Amino acid sequence: MANAATGAPNNRAAEFRRITLLLALAALVCLPWADLEITQLSPGAELGRLLAGALSPDFFATEYLMEAIATTLAFALQGIALAAVTGLLLSLLYRYRPIRVMAALLRSVHELFWALLFLQLFGLSSLTGVLALWIPYTGIFTKVYGEILEEVDPAAELALPHDHSLGNAVSRLLYARLPLAWPHIRHYTKYRLECGLRSSVVLGFVGLPTLGYHLETAFRQGLYGEAAALLYLFYLIIATMKWWCRAALLPLYLAVALWYLPPLAQINGELILQFLTQDIVPAPLKSGGELWPWFLRLWQGQILPGLTDTLLLSQMALLLTALLTLAWFPLRSHWFFSRPSRALGQLFLIITRSTPEFVLAFVGLLVFGPSLLPALLALGIHNGAIIGHLVGGFAQGLRLRPDDTPAGYSRAGLYFYQVLPRVYPQLITWLLYRWEIIQRETAILGVLGITTLGFYIDSAFEEFRFDRAMVLIGAAALLNVAVDAVARALRARLQQGDRLARRDA
């Protein structure tokens, strides 16, 4: 029972309402300033051609299809395996601020931006693809593994003898903390491998020979049957992960990936040295000019417009993600649908969460034309499906009292009065976790021509103005770090409310 003096549960509910209102207001304030215009003259006709292609996939049109699938898998396996190992090692030091800052900076730069950087050094090589995945995912794994290790039950560790020797510290890790954390680490790593597969596909949009390369070619040429076939094969890979992605088989897969596509490149030391000491140095510093006017022009012409559209888009996408999650999570729940209907709902969620935002935005540009609308829909649909899948799984495990079962309520009543209040705190928590990821994805959608920071970054690379590109990437990274800090502060407030509620219950 709640403490009458503190009213902790009521305060907790009020905290969730305040954060929900804050996020909703931020998105609604952005809405009038966003360019959501449909510029395609006949979006219905283009959508009809896309649907026709989806109903008649051409599995024999793409040359080197098996090679593209193998390359996609090889990049993902190598990049995620390296990141998991380095992330686990760094997570042991996550309590130290420099490690936390380094992890935040590594993950704040999207893998597509890392790929654009490494393309200048190593070209279209396998090393470029592996490094582009390894570095940002190392930052992600460091953070998540570190938090998992920090949150394990300390009772087992406290039972062991304590001294300051290295051997004792290793023993406490191996015999007390790691066994408790390992199931969560293994589950999260498998999830990140799925994310790595999506990222590997997206690398094809900058020229690396993954499935994304052939997808972009098919879409640009209007070969929608071929594009549908490529997407269906990718969905099949994702949907069958629970059968082929077994821990005992992963070392074999990794060995095959290293044999098939070793992470090699032709290293040109002079080129690398020039890039690091000349190309990325701001132009005024090389010519003896003034740095501030150069930066001010870059700020007014590219950084500020890019930051503005990136923030507008990400905040609106966060709200759309929440709304679609509310609509879609019942698709996975036995409280609302029978087993056959849930199977169809699960298939829908698999397809929408497995399709990278980059691909969804690319398709949206074909249908609606260039504006923020395709990117908004892509981010909302993809992330809404991910959180909807998670919230639906959480709802599956709910235990309602006998008088709260569906027999006592209409379906709408059960949703609004019984299930939603129980899953809503978890929904908001997951939404805040996804906020940083949505922000990162928003920036890279500019590579497609949408005027976020990625648009100006991609243009700088195309013009070989690498000094500008580095400053713009830095701006995107700082924005992501700021959003992550705000999201983390909001989660901390909610967690504090949870602790008060449990204490006073």
Side-chain angles (χ1 to χ4, degrees):
M1 186 172 178
N3 185 304
T6 62
N10 291 332
N11 290 339
R12 176 174 178 266
E15 195 66 57
F16 274 101
R17 286 196 296 270
R18 280 194 292 270
I19 290 176
T20 301
L21 182 62
L22 177 65
L23 296 176
L25 285 176
L28 293 175
V29 167
C30 292
L31 195 58
W33 306 97
D35 174 19
L36 301 176
E37 184 180 359
I38 297 176
T39 58
Q40 178 65 266
L41 295 178
S42 54
E46 194 66 31
L47 185 59
R49 286 192 287 271
L50 281 166
L51 291 175
L55 295 174
S56 56
D58 187 351
F59 290 95
F60 301 100
T62 302
E63 290 187 278
Y64 311 113
L65 178 58
M66 291 300 104
E67 289 87 341
I69 292 174
T71 301
T72 302
L73 290 167
F75 278 157
L77 286 166
Q78 293 181 56
I80 300 304
L82 279 170
V85 172
T86 52
L88 182 60
L89 293 174
L90 290 171
S91 70
L92 305 179
L93 305 172
Y94 192 65
R95 64 183 179 274
Y96 298 113
R97 185 175 182 83
I99 298 297
R100 295 198 301 271
V101 171
M102 182 186 70
L105 291 175
L106 290 179
R107 69 177 184 269
S108 67
V109 179
H110 194 277
E111 47 268 23
L112 202 61
F113 292 155
W114 284 113
L116 287 172
L117 280 171
F118 289 124
L119 278 172
Q120 317 310 317
L121 302 176
F122 308 120
L124 291 171
S125 66
S126 56
L127 183 61
T128 293
V130 173
L131 289 177
L133 295 177
W134 175 33
I135 292 179
Y137 277 91
T138 291
I140 293 170
F141 279 129
T142 299
K143 175 193 175 185
V144 176
Y145 289 169
E147 292 177 348
I148 290 173
L149 289 170
E150 287 176 353
E151 293 171 3
V152 297
D153 189 348
E157 188 173 359
L158 292 174
L160 296 176
H162 275 259
D163 59 57
H164 297 291
S165 66
L166 178 61
N168 186 265
V170 173
S171 296
R172 292 201 306 271
L173 172 66
L174 293 179
Y175 298 109
R177 295 167 64 197
L178 200 55
L180 295 175
W182 189 250
H184 302 287
I185 289 174
R186 184 175 60 185
H187 177 76
Y188 184 77
T189 305
K190 183 178 179 180
Y191 164 70
R192 274 298 161 189
L193 178 58
E194 178 184 333
C195 297
L197 286 169
R198 290 198 295 269
S199 298
S200 184
V201 170
V202 170
L203 293 181
F205 283 77
V206 295
L208 292 167
T210 67
L211 276 172
Y213 176 80
H214 299 284
L215 264 175
E216 183 190 26
T217 302
F219 276 126
R220 288 194 184 279
Q221 295 178 356
L223 304 175
Y224 298 143
E226 181 180 338
L230 293 168
L231 282 174
Y232 294 161
L233 289 172
F234 183 66
Y235 297 151
L236 182 63
I237 292 171
I238 297 296
T240 57
M241 279 188 69
K242 63 180 179 181
W243 291 295
W244 64 262
C245 187
R246 302 296 179 90
L249 294 175
L250 287 177
L252 175 61
Y253 295 151
L254 184 58
V256 173
L258 288 168
W259 167 81
Y260 173 76
L261 195 70
L264 301 174
Q266 290 186 346
I267 307 296
N268 187 328
E270 292 183 2
L271 178 64
I272 295 174
L273 184 62
Q274 178 183 330
F275 183 80
L276 296 176
T277 61
Q278 296 291 326
D279 294 345
I280 64 174
V281 176
L285 296 182
K286 291 184 291 186
S287 61
E290 295 185 14
L291 183 62
W292 177 247
W294 176 85
F295 177 77
L296 191 60
R297 287 193 298 272
L298 187 60
W299 169 264
Q300 294 173 341
Q302 298 187 16
I303 298 177
L304 184 58
L307 283 172
T308 301
D309 277 353
T310 301
L311 278 172
L312 289 175
L313 180 55
S314 64
Q315 295 311 115
M316 293 187 298
L318 194 67
L319 178 59
L320 181 58
T321 296
L323 294 176
L324 292 178
T325 299
L326 292 171
W328 289 348
F329 84 80
L331 296 175
R332 253 199 99 186
S333 176
H334 67 276
W335 298 113
F336 302 100
F337 294 101
S338 62
R339 185 182 295 271
S341 299
R342 290 202 311 276
L344 291 175
Q346 182 77 337
L347 178 62
F348 169 77
L349 292 176
I350 287 174
I351 290 174
T352 46
R353 71 186 171 91
S354 298
T355 308
E357 303 99 315
F358 206 83
V359 174
L360 288 172
F362 191 88
V363 173
L365 285 168
L366 295 174
V367 175
F368 302 112
S371 72
L372 296 183
L373 180 61
L376 174 61
L377 294 175
L379 291 163
I381 290 170
H382 176 77
N383 289 285
I386 288 177
I387 304 179
H389 171 80
L390 295 171
V391 175
F394 184 78
Q396 281 286 83
L398 292 177
R399 293 185 178 181
L400 304 183
R401 298 190 305 273
D403 57 333
D404 289 338
T405 56
Y409 285 91
S410 67
R411 187 171 293 182
L414 184 69
Y415 177 89
F416 286 107
Y417 296 111
Q418 293 301 323
V419 176
L420 183 58
R422 289 174 167 87
V423 304
Y424 193 72
Q426 199 63 49
L427 187 156
I428 293 296
T429 301
W430 276 321
L431 188 68
L432 291 175
Y433 268 112
R434 293 294 301 180
W435 191 2
E436 178 199 1
I437 298 171
I438 290 172
Q439 188 68 54
R440 293 171 68 244
E441 298 292 341
T442 299
I444 64 105
L445 292 180
V447 174
L448 295 175
I450 299 163
T451 55
T452 63
L453 277 168
F455 172 79
Y456 299 101
I457 293 170
D458 187 51
S459 298
F461 276 111
E462 289 183 351
E463 296 169 2
F464 300 104
R465 295 184 174 181
F466 303 127
D467 53 345
R468 292 188 179 185
M470 294 301 295
V471 173
L472 290 162
I473 289 175
L478 290 174
L479 178 61
N480 292 339
V481 169
V483 167
D484 182 44
V486 172
R488 188 168 61 250
L490 293 177
R491 291 199 306 269
R493 289 182 62 174
L494 296 178
Q495 289 167 359
Q496 183 181 13
D498 285 343
R499 287 193 293 270
L500 288 172
R502 287 194 296 268
R503 187 194 68 187
D504 296 321

